[in-house]
Amino acid sequence: MEKKKLVLIGNGMAGVRCIEEILKIDRDLFDITIFGSEPHPNYNRILLSTVLQGDTSIADITMNDWDWYRNNNIRLFVGETVVQIDKEKQQLRTDKGRTVSYDELIIATGSKPFMLPVPGADKKGVTAFRDIKDCEMMMEYAKTYKKAAVIGGGLLGLEAARGLLNLGMEVDVIHIFDYLMERQLDPTASKLLQRELEKQGMNFLLKKETAEIFGENRVEGVRFKDGTEIAADLVVMAVGIRPNIDLAQESGIAVNRGIIVNDYLETNVPHIYAVGECAEHRGVVYGLVAPLYEQGKVLAEAICGIKTHPYEGSVVSTQLKVSGVDVFSAGEFMEGEGTSSIKVYDELRGVYKKVVVRAGKIVGAVLFGDTSEGRKLLEMIHRNEPVSDAFQLSFFQANSTTQSTVATMADTDVVCGCNGVTKGAICQAIVEHGLRTVEEVRDCTNASRSCGGCKGLVAELLEYTLGETFDKQAMKETVCGCTTLSRDEVIAEIKAKKLKYVKEVMSVLGWKTEEGCSKCRPALNYYLSMLYPGEYVDELESRFVNERLHANIQADGTYSVVPRMYGGVTTAEQLRKIADVAEKYNVPMIKLTGGQRIDLLGVKKEDLPRIWAELDMPSGYAYAKALRTVKTCVGNQFCRFGTQDSTALGIEMEKKFERLNTPHKVKMAVSACPRNCAESGIKDVGIVGVDGGWEIYVGGNGGTHLRAGDLLCTVKTAEEVIEMTGAFLQYYRESANYLERTSKWVERVGLEHIREVIFAPEMRKQLLERLEQALRATTDPWKEIVETKELQETLFTNLQAKVPVNR
Ligand SMILES: Cc1cc2nc3c(=O)[nH]c(=O)nc-3n(C[C@H](O)[C@H](O)[C@H](O)COP(=O)(O)OP(=O)(O)OC[C@H]3O[C@@H](n4cnc5c(N)ncnc54)[C@H](O)[C@@H]3O)c2cc1C
Ligand SMILES: NC(=O)c1ccc[n+]([C@@H]2O[C@H](COP(=O)([O-])OP(=O)(O)OC[C@H]3O[C@@H](n4cnc5c(N)ncnc54)[C@H](O)[C@@H]3O)[C@@H](O)[C@H]2O)c1
Ligand code: SF4
Ligand code: FES
């Protein structure tokens, strides 16, 4: 018997999932054809945020590759748009003039990003954030331009903003309301979120309505209805989406906001169905995958002629995909008539939890800072569960994160919200199919296949189910999405195979992308330079812009110059030179830095080499992943409390370790007594003078993640301080992940472990030998550029470098 012809319009997440469900039911029922306007096989749109944030690559987000279509005998037409449906003849026509008939037709055309209809919205440099093309455009822009404006402080806008920050851009988020994510959060959670994102570097302009996007040939800024304006090289519109219904409407299918469907996803036209963001069910259009996948399952069963439950709508929950921020929202998250709420607000821990209750049952929830109860709350909402005394008690117990979440879950509890996979289903699959990794669970059950937010829970379930046989190694963190190897594996391979160049590492170790990404290139460059001191030639194109130009780029595109002043001590002669240079080159601002140095701000790029030459002082490395400064207090030379000569030790340390490249920046301080005027407690290495010696603190941080340093040891002499600091630094260089500050590294590997390594005389000796080798290979970069004409030309005159501009 001839198979029925099934055609899918829209090769996106909802439509293809529905096809997968159909194939699961009966592979041979239909002759399937799929049309997709985009030139790609089906990919995970959700992970575009992760691609922009540098955590994965475009190559990694394909969900069904070309082979999948071939193996399932699906005719696929990509880059081809269906422009007409003839419902009488049961035929459709594409923009390439192709005509195809159908017995059953599924429309899954998704949404279109809403572009504000303001003057200038069509200018070069204005984009939506919806597909691979938009994502690539933003990544390309970030290589050349500096200032981004994101219009819309919803989920998409904030995820885009985080990505652009990661790409080295400065980001203003423009939001029309007075608080962010008003569609998911209440004002309290929203303000906590804003505070956290501001710490990450985002700038918010609230209650701002865009009037115009201006610029000559391309976008130069955004003007608001209140008359104010901001500069911008890139404008990202993230102000919501509109169901893509044009084709259906023009073909005479009933539409409202979306294509109207019943509980079996049928439109008003026989044999035509709609699923996904383009469909409107009981007056609701969904914009998250979980409900779309539920729809797809119902439609698949219905279309295959299986008796199925009707689709009755979904309670949705959301989580923001920005690292370091835990936010969860579900159901009716705002109190209203007939509802009351239970709230817990722990200002110290930055945790806020709220559940909204109607007639004794939970109908909504908002969590900030600790979202571990999100899944459980969502289940309670789904099951219409009453609020018991036991629930209230556990809700008020703040430290729920310390418990293993999976152990307390019921088998029917959903672990993966996007794909509706329960704990029971995952455990059963692990046992029945002998699954060992998150990826295997994903391939078998779909859990963690969409936003990836449940990966942690899936890993916990593996550990919980497999017990001792669980292989933690399999859960490794890879360098980035371009490889399946972890940092340690990459380093081991580099050593074993004696790989010497970034490109060589990528090629020999089977990188998925030819060029790598902004995460792996600088990391590989660092690992190679650490492994082959004096031999490896630094690859400029793999460096972040500040390190390439040996100066920090400023908000207005100018640069800053910070000369080295050992221990924060200067002379009249140095000050005179600095003043002369500042006058001669019209330096608009001279400022003292937090690290006790002088910063010449607002310097033009082309003036940098001349200024360095005239200053004739070493680079202060204020831009580098290296030792920045050693801050010192005045010490016993002048201070009556001083027990030691902190200034002399600070100068000695700075002279010793300057220019040493490290996984991230390193700050040091020396105070001559426990009053700690140089703030030694919040430095990567902080030295405090005590009676008869020095205390060495490590892993302190005064930045976003405030952390007091741990006492590593107490020593008697300045020589011992230098020796212990050197061993600590070298071990950090050799074992930390690139871009991991000492504060994180110390926490990850543990102080005891660090002590075990560097207190062992033989290991310390070896570390110090390798450190000396690395130090011998360093040179002053400013001097090198001043003395090398070619470098000046390539870097400072011919600066449309084809290399990434990153942070
Ligand atoms: C950056 C980003 C992050 C997101 N993060 C999350 C998240 O964390 N969690 C979550 O649940 N959701 C998230 N979403 C939303 C989620 O991606 C969408 O809900 C989902 O992709 C919608 O699936 P769909 O199949 O309905 O539409 P789409 O995935 O948009 O697919 C529709 C496809 O149809 C094609 N098409 C349209 N018209 C035609 C035509 N006439 N002919 C042929 N082809 C056509 C389109 O080109 C498109 O490829 C995110 C979205 C974005 C953009
Ligand atoms: N983590 C996730 O679940 C996730 C991530 C990204 C996108 N998405 C989905 O993708 C879709 C698009 O996301 P979105 O954030 O664009 O949609 P959205 O509708 O959720 O949010 C748009 C935001 O833009 C604001 N806005 C509207 N007009 C504005 C204006 N003129 N100026 C400034 N702000 C304005 C709105 O107040 C709203 O907060 C949604 O369906 C969303 O659920 C989900
Ligand atoms: S840390 Fe102690 S010695 Fe140094 S300046 Fe402060 S009080 Fe004086
Ligand atoms: S919760 Fe999104 S993939 Fe599991």
Side-chain angles (χ1 to χ4, degrees), residues 457-489:
L457 277 182
V458 174
E460 270 187 50
L461 270 181
L462 275 162
E463 189 164 9
Y464 167 80
T465 315
L466 297 174
E468 302 231 307
T469 55
F470 174 66
D471 178 7
K472 275 216 165 87
Q473 249 310 101
M475 302 288 106
K476 72 185 174 196
E477 199 180 313
T478 61
V479 170
C480 68
C482 304
T483 174
T484 53
L485 299 174
S486 68
R487 174 244 184 237
D488 290 349
E489 286 167 339

Side-chain angles (χ1 to χ4, degrees), residues 469-522:
T469 55
F470 174 66
D471 178 7
K472 275 216 165 87
Q473 249 310 101
M475 302 288 106
K476 72 185 174 196
E477 199 180 313
T478 61
V479 170
C480 68
C482 304
T483 174
T484 53
L485 299 174
S486 68
R487 174 244 184 237
D488 290 349
E489 286 167 339
V490 168
I491 290 194
E493 290 286 321
I494 291 176
K495 283 184 186 164
K497 300 196 163 82
K498 299 194 171 36
L499 307 176
K500 295 286 163 70
Y501 305 97
V502 171
K503 277 271 171 93
E504 189 189 11
V505 175
M506 291 176 183
S507 145
V508 175
L509 302 188
W511 242 241
K512 295 175 201 162
T513 47
E514 205 180 311
E515 294 291 322
C517 69
S518 58
K519 211 169 166 183
C520 60
R521 270 197 322 267

Side-chain angles (χ1 to χ4, degrees), residues 8-16 35-38 42-49 77 80-83 108-111 129-131 156 159 241 244 247 275-278 286-292 317-321 418 450-451:
L8 168 68
I9 309 177
N11 188 27
M13 295 187 73
V16 175
F35 288 96
S37 299
E38 294 183 67
N42 174 42
Y43 66 89
N44 188 339
R45 196 172 301 287
I46 297 179
L47 293 187
L48 287 177
S49 301
F77 298 100
E80 191 158 341
T81 300
V82 176
V83 290
T109 46
S111 297
F129 183 20
R130 180 73 194 174
D131 54 29
L156 185 68
E159 290 181 9
I241 50 176
N244 196 352
L247 172 68
V275 69
E277 282 187 348
C278 63
Y286 295 95
L288 295 164
V289 291
L292 311 185
S317 70
T318 46
Q319 266 182 295
L320 184 69
K321 301 191 295 300
C418 290
S450 306
C451 73

